[in-house]
Amino acid sequence: MELTGTKSRLVITNLHAGGIGALEDRFEGFFNLVRAVVAGAARARPDAEFVAGEQPAIYWLLVAFNLGAFTLLVLVVTHLPIVPGNVSASGLIKSVVILFSLPLMLSWLVNARPRRFDPQEGLEKVIAARTA
C-alpha cells in the first residue's frame, strides 16, 4: 500500500522478515489495515484518488519483459528436439507447457494494470485480485 501526498510518500508492505530467508506474509491483518486506511481516507478526503496495480512506468516495463520471456519460452520449447518414436507425446508436453504459462501471464496483465477504483465498491475486487 502506498500513500502519496503532495509532499510525502509512505509505503507499507505485508511482508515481515522473520530472519534470513524467512519472510512471513501477514496478508490477513494487512488487508484489514488497508480497508481501514481506505475508509478513513475516503471519509477525510472525498476527492482522494484511489489507484490499484503497479505504477504505470514499472507496469509497462514488466509487460515488455514478460512478453519477451514468454516469446523465449515458446521458442525454446518449440525448438526442443522431439523424442524419436514419440512425436505425439512430445508435442503434447510442449503444448501443455505453453498453454499453462499463457493464462498465468494474462492473469498478471489484468490484475497488475494501473487503474482507479471506487473505495466503497472496488476495494474488495482489488484485494481479491491480490489474493488470487
Side-chain angles (χ1 to χ4, degrees):
M1 175 172 59
E2 182 176 311
L3 304 170
T4 306
T6 55
K7 296 181 182 180
S8 62
R9 183 177 145 222
L10 174 66
V11 177
I12 303 171
T13 181
N14 62 330
L15 292 178
H16 175 262
I20 297 175
L23 295 177
E24 301 170 3
D25 190 359
R26 299 179 175 182
F27 72 92
E28 192 60 44
F30 178 74
F31 290 134
N32 290 334
L33 172 68
V34 169
R35 287 180 184 99
V37 168
V38 167
R43 276 192 311 274
R45 294 280 313 260
D47 61 334
E49 181 179 289
F50 295 89
V51 181
E54 294 288 343
Q55 295 176 3
I58 294 172
Y59 176 75
W60 290 111
L61 182 67
L62 290 172
V63 167
F65 176 79
N66 280 320
L67 288 174
F70 184 74
T71 302
L72 285 175
L73 172 72
V74 169
L75 288 173
V76 167
V77 169
T78 56
H79 287 85
L80 286 175
I82 294 176
V83 177
N86 202 354
V87 174
S88 61
S90 294
L92 180 66
I93 291 170
K94 290 178 180 186
S95 299
V96 166
V97 168
I98 293 169
L99 293 175
F100 178 76
S101 301
L102 187 59
L104 293 175
M105 186 178 75
L106 293 176
S107 173
W108 176 84
L109 284 171
V110 169
N111 290 322
R113 75 189 187 289
R115 64 203 179 277
R116 291 189 177 134
F117 70 92
D118 178 27
Q120 275 81 31
E121 298 172 11
L123 180 60
E124 292 307 317
K125 288 180 185 177
V126 170
I127 289 174
R130 298 296 296 177
T131 57

